[in-house]
Amino acid sequence: MSTPLAGWTDELARARLHFVTGKGGTGKTTLAAALGLALAKGGRRVLLIEVEGRQGIAQLFDTEPLPYAEQRIAAVPGGGELRALHIDVEAALLEYFEMFYNLGFAGRTLRRMGAIEFATTLAPGLRDVLLTGKIKECVGRTESDGRHTYDAVVVDSPPTGRVVKFLDVTKALTDLAKTGPIRGQADGVVRLLHSGETAVHLVTLLEEMPVRETVEAVAELDGADLRPGAVLVNRVRPPRLPARSVTAAADGRVDASRVRAGLASAGLNLPDSTLDALVEETVEHAVRVAAEQRAREQLSEADLPGLELPDLTDGVDVAALYDLAEALTEQGVR
């Protein structure tokens, strides 16, 4: 059986900007937060960024909605710190006006006139240029001693179906600006996103549709000269059957008499109705395990490092995020 490559590579360990994408419902926001916590171990400072306006990070950490300001959201063992930022497009555009055109007052006037919404509607690519521009500023910012403010930046990105368009700033620029400050800033974004400092991780489940989207997204990223990082396989459940028994059980070939004998040897004498239900559940479990094996084989086509995260049957709370972070650390995330 083929599986994704194991572990976090040295190349990924050198990246400072980590985008986390995935099909909706796969848990990309949860794993972006867990990755942020894992990267913050050992006294590091990490920034977790949200760009879709859902306030998913605040919900995960059970805090008030995030403002357009970087604020501490979690402490990490070893002296590390995770901060979070919700990027507001309107605020980012006003920041651009002030930084590059010295139009702070005019920008506020434009906001009252509704011109910002008009501008981002007229030029849809402008929204992604603003978001990625702010991300670049956070990655490149340094302190007075020359050290980067953040050791790593993690972005809860748009889903796989939109992530390449979001990251392909070069294409967005062809419709926006040929020269000027925005063009110069965006050129810097392009260099960062296409450099070894950036990796795009893909979250998936061991199910047909998410796996298919993941493989397609890897091909799209490669085609846009963007670097796929690791495949993060979420909600992995352990198999309950020996590998040699899966194929037969998935085909419905479960010997009820052997099951009864095994239960009897353990001191369990169950009625026929209960035994039939157990056999049916065994077949359903084997069908799922066989499907997951096929999904792993399909994921191996992407030829990327793969990390697996357990299924959290009790749901996701802050404590669970730390558990997921620990699971990532155990698989080499650093």
Side-chain angles (χ1 to χ4, degrees):
M1 178 181 68
S2 299
T3 61
L5 299 175
W8 194 256
T9 65
D10 290 340
E11 186 178 14
L12 291 178
R14 289 191 290 271
R16 294 187 54 248
L17 175 55
H18 302 265
F19 291 95
V20 179
T21 184
K23 179 178 170 58
T26 58
K28 71 177 181 65
T29 300
T30 298
L31 293 198
L35 178 60
L37 289 170
L39 290 170
K41 287 198 171 183
R44 304 176 85 207
R45 180 183 291 170
V46 175
L47 180 65
L48 177 62
I49 295 178
E50 181 174 58
V51 296
E52 292 188 280
R54 296 183 297 107
Q55 290 289 350
I57 293 171
Q59 294 173 35
L60 271 179
F61 285 92
D62 195 24
T63 67
E64 294 294 319
L66 297 173
Y68 183 53
E70 296 150 37
Q71 64 181 36
R72 175 173 162 149
I73 200 168
V76 179
E81 179 180 82
L82 181 65
R83 293 188 179 183
L85 170 66
H86 170 85
I87 301 182
D88 176 80
V89 176
E90 182 178 275
L93 183 54
L94 292 176
E95 194 171 65
Y96 261 77
F97 283 151
E98 191 162 358
M99 287 173 60
F100 296 117
Y101 296 99
N102 196 25
L103 291 176
F105 176 77
R108 290 189 289 275
T109 303
L110 287 171
R111 178 171 56 187
R112 288 196 297 272
M113 295 170 56
I116 292 172
E117 183 179 356
F118 173 77
T120 54
T121 302
L122 187 65
L126 177 60
R127 181 181 185 279
D128 293 341
V129 170
L130 291 170
L131 293 171
T132 52
K134 180 60 179 178
I135 291 167
K136 171 189 174 291
E137 187 274 321
C138 293
V139 172
R141 192 187 311 153
T142 57
E143 301 296 292
S144 57
D145 61 1
R147 178 187 170 186
H148 282 111
T149 301
Y150 295 106
D151 297 291
V153 173
V154 178
V155 183
D156 178 20
S157 309
T160 45
R162 301 202 308 269
V163 72
V164 171
K165 183 178 180 182
F166 171 69
L167 295 173
D168 196 0
V169 180
T170 305
K171 185 174 181 181
L173 279 174
T174 61
D175 301 322
L176 286 175
K178 305 299 182 185
T179 59
I182 288 183
R183 177 73 199 211
Q185 170 76 350
D187 284 343
V189 172
V190 170
R191 286 192 296 273
L192 172 63
L193 297 187
H194 292 267
S195 75
E197 285 197 280
T198 300
V200 184
H201 309 294
L202 301 107
V203 179
T204 188
L205 306 178
L206 290 175
E207 298 173 4
E208 182 180 358
M209 286 298 293
V211 166
R212 184 184 306 156
E213 279 206 21
T214 297
V215 173
E216 290 173 354
V218 170
E220 278 191 72
L221 289 165
D222 284 336
D225 194 29
L226 295 161
R227 183 165 67 121
V231 175
L232 307 178
V233 185
N234 199 16
R235 301 176 197 159
V236 175
R237 294 168 287 183
R240 305 297 183 186
L241 291 170
R244 65 180 183 277
S245 304
V246 170
T247 301
D251 289 338
R253 291 179 279 128
V254 178
D255 189 337
S257 62
R258 288 186 62 187
V259 175
R260 181 182 292 282
L263 292 170
S265 68
L268 297 172
N269 294 298
L270 303 178
D272 289 344
S273 60
T274 304
L275 182 64
D276 290 343
L278 283 174
V279 169
E280 183 178 351
E281 189 172 334
T282 299
V283 172
E284 291 175 356
H285 175 76
V287 168
R288 176 179 65 77
V289 171
E292 290 176 349
Q293 289 176 350
R294 291 192 295 273
R296 281 192 172 92
E297 290 168 0
Q298 190 175 358
L299 282 176
S300 70
E301 297 173 12
D303 195 27
L304 294 176
L307 293 84
E308 296 194 349
L309 289 304
D311 186 28
L312 302 175
T313 55
D314 295 330
V316 178
D317 57 14
V318 176
L321 290 176
Y322 281 93
D323 289 341
L324 291 172
E326 186 60 35
L328 289 171
T329 301
E330 289 171 357
Q331 294 174 79
V333 172
R334 59 196 186 280

